[in-house]
Amino acid sequence: MTVLKLSLMAFSFVFWAAGLTMLIIGLWAKVSLGSYLALSANDYPSAPAILLATGAAVLIWGFLGCFGAATEHRGLLRAYSAFLAAVLAAGLAAGLSALLYRQNVAQGFQDGLRQALLAYGEDEGTADALDALQRTLSCCGVESYRDWLAAPWGLEQNGSVPLSCCRARRGCRRSPPDAGGLHRDGCFSKVSAFVSSNMFYVATAAVGLALLQLIGIVLACLLAARIPADLLGIATPR
């Protein structure tokens, strides 16, 4: 019993720390990446919101799991094991979805970027997000700066590009654009490369963390099964 309790308490602490990490990453993503994620045309749930909700739930249940092990609360331990099973299923689903639909994620950004170019100058929020993306990734347009020349905003500006396309902070000649002073890469290639190179690691981490829950499920179930016999004073084989 002592070994099971200590093992489950140690696991719950690690689980709680993982929840705190997800919460911090979710807050950072909400603040730093929220505007970029808004450019995607995919109607997927917000990744920062999922991280925040999951992190908060894991924080609460990690504490409850540790409390249940310390107090030998059988019902709480069973509920904790059920929650871990749900996290296991969700983690496997998230990891496999990231692998299977990573091309859809990239395609959603491509469609979203094209829509942002068309709405540039009309929707200030979208324009600010696109400008920030072009500055951060050092890119211009969807495939290249030429996308701006055919966009409604570019045509209104006599074949110009936004200031965020310029490589130098002081600006560049934007009408007609001088390719030497502009970011050469399109934003889609930058986003696509990032998704392709990192999605596999994200998916692997999600599956690995999900499988880790098997340890907690086994420990919680074993401890919950032994509590009634110990409380009744019935000897059980160790």
Side-chain angles (χ1 to χ4, degrees):
M1 280 291 293
T2 302
V3 174
L4 282 176
K5 284 174 60 175
L6 292 177
S7 299
L8 185 56
M9 290 175 68
F11 173 85
S12 297
F13 177 77
V14 174
F15 192 54
W16 183 88
L20 182 61
T21 302
M22 284 189 286
L23 193 63
I24 293 173
I25 294 176
L27 288 172
W28 170 81
K30 183 70 173 177
V31 174
S32 303
L33 304 179
S35 59
Y36 302 152
L37 295 174
L39 292 174
S40 176
N42 286 335
D43 190 21
Y44 295 146
S46 172
I50 293 175
L51 284 172
L52 287 171
T54 304
V58 169
L59 275 177
I60 296 171
W61 278 100
F63 171 77
L64 292 177
C66 189
F67 179 78
T71 59
E72 300 182 8
H73 193 292
R74 188 165 179 257
L76 191 56
L77 288 172
R78 287 183 171 178
Y80 183 49
S81 63
F83 177 76
L84 291 178
V87 172
L88 168 64
L92 289 175
L96 293 176
S97 296
L99 288 175
L100 295 175
Y101 296 105
R102 56 182 173 179
Q103 295 300 326
N104 290 17
V105 173
Q107 184 63 44
F109 268 104
Q110 185 180 40
D111 295 339
L113 288 172
R114 294 191 185 280
Q115 294 174 13
L117 255 71
L118 295 176
Y120 193 87
E122 299 177 1
D123 186 335
E124 290 299 323
T126 300
D128 290 342
L130 186 54
D131 283 334
L133 181 70
Q134 291 188 145
R135 290 192 186 95
T136 302
L137 298 184
S138 299
C139 59
C140 183
V142 181
E143 303 296 341
S144 72
Y145 76 92
R146 299 181 187 277
D147 295 321
W148 283 106
L149 305 183
W153 183 88
L155 295 175
E156 292 176 1
Q157 302 297 321
N158 299 319
S160 181
V161 298
L163 188 62
S164 57
C165 280
C166 298
R167 299 172 65 180
R169 286 184 176 272
R170 63 178 180 273
C172 56
R173 194 179 73 188
R174 297 179 293 152
S175 179
D178 177 14
L182 303 177
H183 299 309
R184 296 184 178 181
D185 297 323
C187 293
F188 173 66
S189 62
K190 291 290 187 75
V191 172
S192 180
F194 174 81
V195 171
S196 298
S197 61
N198 291 279
M199 192 63 74
F200 176 78
Y201 299 107
V202 172
T204 303
V207 173
L209 287 174
L211 294 177
L212 183 64
Q213 310 312 312
L214 289 173
I215 300 175
I217 294 172
V218 172
L219 290 173
C221 289
L222 286 176
L223 184 58
R226 293 176 65 91
I227 284 175
D230 281 10
L231 291 178
L232 294 173
I234 302 175
T236 55
R238 305 262 177 183

